[in-house]
mmCIF file of all heavy atoms in Angstrom:
data_model
loop_
_atom_site.group_PDB
_atom_site.id
_atom_site.type_symbol
_atom_site.label_atom_id
_atom_site.label_comp_id
_atom_site.label_asym_id
_atom_site.label_seq_id
_atom_site.Cartn_x
_atom_site.Cartn_y
_atom_site.Cartn_z
ATOM 1 N N MET A 590 33.002 -24.981 17.660
ATOM 2 C CA MET A 590 32.494 -24.248 18.813
ATOM 3 C C MET A 590 30.988 -24.082 18.698
ATOM 4 O O MET A 590 30.460 -23.799 17.623
ATOM 5 C CB MET A 590 33.154 -22.872 18.893
ATOM 6 C CG MET A 590 32.790 -22.091 20.184
ATOM 7 S SD MET A 590 33.630 -20.492 20.261
ATOM 8 C CE MET A 590 35.330 -21.018 20.502
ATOM 9 N N LEU A 625 28.012 -4.681 7.986
ATOM 10 C CA LEU A 625 27.148 -4.544 9.154
ATOM 11 C C LEU A 625 26.303 -3.283 9.008
ATOM 12 O O LEU A 625 26.759 -2.273 8.486
ATOM 13 C CB LEU A 625 28.007 -4.449 10.433
ATOM 14 C CG LEU A 625 28.625 -5.759 10.939
ATOM 15 C CD1 LEU A 625 29.513 -5.489 12.147
ATOM 16 C CD2 LEU A 625 27.545 -6.778 11.294
ATOM 17 N N LEU A 630 21.361 1.053 7.024
ATOM 18 C CA LEU A 630 22.527 1.891 7.228
ATOM 19 C C LEU A 630 23.301 2.156 5.956
ATOM 20 O O LEU A 630 23.774 3.282 5.713
ATOM 21 C CB LEU A 630 23.440 1.236 8.270
ATOM 22 C CG LEU A 630 24.807 1.896 8.532
ATOM 23 C CD1 LEU A 630 24.669 3.387 8.813
ATOM 24 C CD2 LEU A 630 25.499 1.199 9.700
ATOM 25 N N THR A 637 19.846 7.996 2.625
ATOM 26 C CA THR A 637 18.745 8.837 2.136
ATOM 27 C C THR A 637 18.597 10.083 2.983
ATOM 28 O O THR A 637 18.479 11.205 2.468
ATOM 29 C CB THR A 637 17.411 8.055 2.180
ATOM 30 O OG1 THR A 637 17.551 6.842 1.473
ATOM 31 C CG2 THR A 637 16.305 8.867 1.544
ATOM 32 N N ALA A 725 17.595 -11.533 7.630
ATOM 33 C CA ALA A 725 18.270 -11.319 6.342
ATOM 34 C C ALA A 725 17.760 -10.106 5.565
ATOM 35 O O ALA A 725 18.320 -9.754 4.527
ATOM 36 C CB ALA A 725 18.140 -12.568 5.474
ATOM 37 N N GLY A 741 20.727 2.575 -17.248
ATOM 38 C CA GLY A 741 20.021 3.829 -16.968
ATOM 39 C C GLY A 741 18.741 3.629 -16.199
ATOM 40 O O GLY A 741 18.051 4.603 -15.884
ATOM 41 N N ILE A 761 10.481 8.412 -11.738
ATOM 42 C CA ILE A 761 10.424 7.514 -10.600
ATOM 43 C C ILE A 761 9.153 6.666 -10.715
ATOM 44 O O ILE A 761 8.052 7.201 -10.714
ATOM 45 C CB ILE A 761 10.432 8.269 -9.271
ATOM 46 C CG1 ILE A 761 11.722 9.087 -9.146
ATOM 47 C CG2 ILE A 761 10.288 7.306 -8.089
ATOM 48 C CD1 ILE A 761 11.827 9.909 -7.882
ATOM 49 N N GLU A 770 10.688 10.356 -1.140
ATOM 50 C CA GLU A 770 11.871 10.918 -0.465
ATOM 51 C C GLU A 770 12.960 11.245 -1.479
ATOM 52 O O GLU A 770 13.545 12.339 -1.453
ATOM 53 C CB GLU A 770 12.398 9.949 0.594
ATOM 54 C CG GLU A 770 11.505 9.870 1.828
ATOM 55 C CD GLU A 770 12.080 8.985 2.918
ATOM 56 O OE1 GLU A 770 13.112 8.302 2.674
ATOM 57 O OE2 GLU A 770 11.509 8.950 4.021
ATOM 58 N N VAL A 774 14.759 14.995 -2.901
ATOM 59 C CA VAL A 774 16.196 15.291 -2.944
ATOM 60 C C VAL A 774 16.611 15.753 -4.346
ATOM 61 O O VAL A 774 17.222 16.816 -4.527
ATOM 62 C CB VAL A 774 17.027 14.056 -2.545
ATOM 63 C CG1 VAL A 774 18.518 14.291 -2.825
ATOM 64 C CG2 VAL A 774 16.806 13.712 -1.093
ATOM 65 N N ALA A 800 -1.719 12.379 1.593
ATOM 66 C CA ALA A 800 -1.355 12.227 0.186
ATOM 67 C C ALA A 800 -1.732 13.472 -0.621
ATOM 68 O O ALA A 800 -0.970 13.938 -1.462
ATOM 69 C CB ALA A 800 -2.042 10.995 -0.399
ATOM 70 N N ARG A 802 -2.071 16.575 0.497
ATOM 71 C CA ARG A 802 -1.187 17.693 0.865
ATOM 72 C C ARG A 802 0.187 17.536 0.250
ATOM 73 O O ARG A 802 0.769 18.501 -0.269
ATOM 74 C CB ARG A 802 -1.105 17.792 2.393
ATOM 75 C CG ARG A 802 -0.357 19.035 2.904
ATOM 76 C CD ARG A 802 -1.076 20.325 2.535
ATOM 77 N NE ARG A 802 -2.430 20.352 3.060
ATOM 78 C CZ ARG A 802 -2.762 20.950 4.219
ATOM 79 N NH1 ARG A 802 -1.846 21.529 4.951
ATOM 80 N NH2 ARG A 802 -4.015 20.959 4.619
ATOM 81 N N ASN A 815 1.881 11.688 -11.347
ATOM 82 C CA ASN A 815 0.836 10.970 -12.109
ATOM 83 C C ASN A 815 0.404 9.772 -11.292
ATOM 84 O O ASN A 815 1.182 8.828 -11.091
ATOM 85 C CB ASN A 815 1.404 10.506 -13.451
ATOM 86 C CG ASN A 815 1.828 11.648 -14.342
ATOM 87 O OD1 ASN A 815 1.029 12.180 -15.104
ATOM 88 N ND2 ASN A 815 3.093 12.035 -14.252
ATOM 89 N N VAL A 820 2.482 1.541 -15.719
ATOM 90 C CA VAL A 820 3.638 1.517 -16.602
ATOM 91 C C VAL A 820 3.632 0.238 -17.448
ATOM 92 O O VAL A 820 3.451 -0.861 -16.921
ATOM 93 C CB VAL A 820 4.951 1.609 -15.800
ATOM 94 C CG1 VAL A 820 6.163 1.458 -16.739
ATOM 95 C CG2 VAL A 820 5.014 2.932 -15.050
ATOM 96 N N TYR A 867 16.068 -28.641 4.302
ATOM 97 C CA TYR A 867 15.761 -28.006 5.590
ATOM 98 C C TYR A 867 15.231 -26.591 5.329
ATOM 99 O O TYR A 867 16.005 -25.658 5.093
ATOM 100 C CB TYR A 867 16.997 -27.945 6.485
ATOM 101 C CG TYR A 867 16.675 -27.541 7.930
ATOM 102 C CD1 TYR A 867 16.201 -28.490 8.836
ATOM 103 C CD2 TYR A 867 16.844 -26.232 8.344
ATOM 104 C CE1 TYR A 867 15.919 -28.137 10.144
ATOM 105 C CE2 TYR A 867 16.544 -25.865 9.652
ATOM 106 C CZ TYR A 867 16.085 -26.821 10.553
ATOM 107 O OH TYR A 867 15.791 -26.461 11.834
ATOM 108 N N GLN A 901 7.614 -3.524 6.977
ATOM 109 C CA GLN A 901 9.004 -3.368 6.557
ATOM 110 C C GLN A 901 9.570 -2.034 7.005
ATOM 111 O O GLN A 901 9.735 -1.093 6.228
ATOM 112 C CB GLN A 901 9.124 -3.550 5.036
ATOM 113 C CG GLN A 901 8.806 -4.968 4.576
ATOM 114 C CD GLN A 901 9.043 -5.162 3.100
ATOM 115 O OE1 GLN A 901 8.862 -4.241 2.284
ATOM 116 N NE2 GLN A 901 9.428 -6.350 2.703
ATOM 117 N N TYR A 934 10.429 11.146 5.268
ATOM 118 C CA TYR A 934 11.333 12.293 5.434
ATOM 119 C C TYR A 934 11.296 13.222 4.221
ATOM 120 O O TYR A 934 12.301 13.497 3.590
ATOM 121 C CB TYR A 934 12.732 11.788 5.713
ATOM 122 C CG TYR A 934 12.823 11.054 7.028
ATOM 123 C CD1 TYR A 934 12.405 9.730 7.153
ATOM 124 C CD2 TYR A 934 13.262 11.699 8.188
ATOM 125 C CE1 TYR A 934 12.446 9.072 8.370
ATOM 126 C CE2 TYR A 934 13.316 11.045 9.404
ATOM 127 C CZ TYR A 934 12.896 9.723 9.497
ATOM 128 O OH TYR A 934 12.921 9.074 10.690
ATOM 129 N N ALA A 940 4.448 11.987 9.380
ATOM 130 C CA ALA A 940 4.502 10.903 10.352
ATOM 131 C C ALA A 940 3.077 10.533 10.745
ATOM 132 O O ALA A 940 2.176 11.373 10.736
ATOM 133 C CB ALA A 940 5.316 11.311 11.574
ATOM 134 N N SER A 941 2.897 9.274 11.121
ATOM 135 C CA SER A 941 1.580 8.837 11.556
ATOM 136 C C SER A 941 1.733 7.678 12.532
ATOM 137 O O SER A 941 2.731 6.977 12.540
ATOM 138 C CB SER A 941 0.710 8.407 10.383
ATOM 139 O OG SER A 941 1.254 7.236 9.771
ATOM 140 N N GLN A 948 -10.103 4.930 9.213
ATOM 141 C CA GLN A 948 -9.936 3.611 9.828
ATOM 142 C C GLN A 948 -10.696 3.500 11.139
ATOM 143 O O GLN A 948 -11.283 2.448 11.438
ATOM 144 C CB GLN A 948 -8.446 3.330 10.059
ATOM 145 C CG GLN A 948 -7.664 3.090 8.768
ATOM 146 C CD GLN A 948 -6.167 3.059 9.008
ATOM 147 O OE1 GLN A 948 -5.659 3.610 9.986
ATOM 148 N NE2 GLN A 948 -5.444 2.413 8.098
ATOM 149 N N THR A 963 0.071 24.716 10.637
ATOM 150 C CA THR A 963 1.361 25.328 10.868
ATOM 151 C C THR A 963 1.269 26.853 11.024
ATOM 152 O O THR A 963 2.064 27.447 11.743
ATOM 153 C CB THR A 963 2.317 25.020 9.697
ATOM 154 O OG1 THR A 963 1.667 25.341 8.449
ATOM 155 C CG2 THR A 963 2.682 23.553 9.695
ATOM 156 N N ALA A 1036 -2.104 22.302 21.023
ATOM 157 C CA ALA A 1036 -3.169 23.082 20.379
ATOM 158 C C ALA A 1036 -4.231 22.143 19.771
ATOM 159 O O ALA A 1036 -5.440 22.410 19.883
ATOM 160 C CB ALA A 1036 -2.583 23.979 19.292
ATOM 161 N N SER A 1040 -8.204 21.781 21.114
ATOM 162 C CA SER A 1040 -9.341 22.042 20.209
ATOM 163 C C SER A 1040 -10.405 20.970 20.301
ATOM 164 O O SER A 1040 -11.542 21.171 19.812
ATOM 165 C CB SER A 1040 -8.832 22.146 18.759
ATOM 166 O OG SER A 1040 -8.472 20.878 18.249
#
Side-chain angles (χ1 to χ4, degrees):
M590 186 178 291
L625 284 176
L630 174 51
T637 307
I761 299 178
E770 287 184 353
V774 171
R802 187 64 59 96
N815 297 272
V820 175
Y867 191 81
Q901 293 185 328
Y934 295 80
S941 67
Q948 289 170 338
T963 51
S1040 73

